[in-house]
Amino acid sequence: DIAILLRKNEYLTRYGDALTRRGIPVYIDREKPLSDSPAVMLMMCLLNFVDNPLRDVYAAGALRSPVFGFDLNELITVRGYAEGLPLFVGVRNCAGDSEREDGLSGKCGTVLDWIEREKTVSRGMSPEKYISYLADALSVFSLDGIRENGLERDALNKLFRMAGEFE
């Protein structure tokens, strides 16, 4: 048996046809990749943010998500506090700015508290247990776009099952 992994599904048919012409049996999984699911992307951003908040892509995704609700202007302001360092440094610096009166320091403080709590909670938990805990704690299945979308709920459940395979 062999497997051919492709970056884009658009080439599946070409490869399948070429193999079939040569008498090689082919099975093509046309299921939508989990990475195409906004709900899975949200969970991956949050999990990676807890794991290492210094990775900007995941930090920005988590901050812009419904979990923290930063708007674009707030994110740009926080980026300014980072002074060329990772975005999370900006979160920390902004949280310590007692002169801000617009509530952004408080929002950043909430993020710092959340990260610290999640790092503590996640220690010693299996991936499956932690991802389930996180989804429950954040009521992920109740978020707009997930609550009413069966495909998104299915994608999250598949992610949870996959996490269980790593135990």
Side-chain angles (χ1 to χ4, degrees), residues 18-153:
L19 292 168
T20 301
R21 282 193 304 272
R22 288 162 182 81
I24 300 170
V26 173
Y27 167 75
I28 297 176
D29 183 358
R30 296 183 189 276
E31 189 174 304
K32 180 180 169 184
L34 281 181
S35 60
D36 287 354
S37 163
V40 169
M41 288 175 60
L42 167 64
M43 288 302 295
M44 295 307 297
C45 275
L46 294 169
L47 291 166
N48 280 288
F49 190 42
V50 170
D51 177 54
N52 182 354
L54 297 176
R55 293 184 285 183
D56 280 355
V57 170
Y58 299 115
L63 295 174
R64 288 278 293 144
S65 77
V67 173
F68 296 111
F70 281 62
D71 65 31
L72 187 56
N73 288 329
E74 291 170 326
L75 205 57
I76 291 168
T77 300
V78 170
R79 166 54 74 202
Y81 277 93
E83 300 173 350
L85 296 171
L87 183 60
F88 187 69
V89 173
V91 171
R92 188 177 299 131
N93 292 343
C94 182
D97 184 353
S98 58
E99 295 180 17
R100 285 201 75 89
E101 296 180 5
D102 59 1
L104 186 57
S105 292
K107 261 178 130 168
C108 289
T110 299
V111 171
L112 292 178
D113 293 344
W114 183 85
I115 284 286
E116 186 176 319
R117 184 176 58 251
E118 292 308 311
K119 283 191 170 292
T120 301
V121 167
S122 66
R123 283 189 191 102
M125 273 191 181
S126 68
E128 181 181 31
K129 283 190 171 77
Y130 181 66
I131 197 170
S132 294
Y133 158 81
L134 188 60
D136 288 342
L138 298 175
S139 301
V140 169
F141 284 98
S142 322
L143 295 174
D144 289 341
I146 298 172
R147 175 183 54 245
E148 66 279 353
N149 189 328
L151 292 175
E152 291 302 315
R153 289 191 312 272

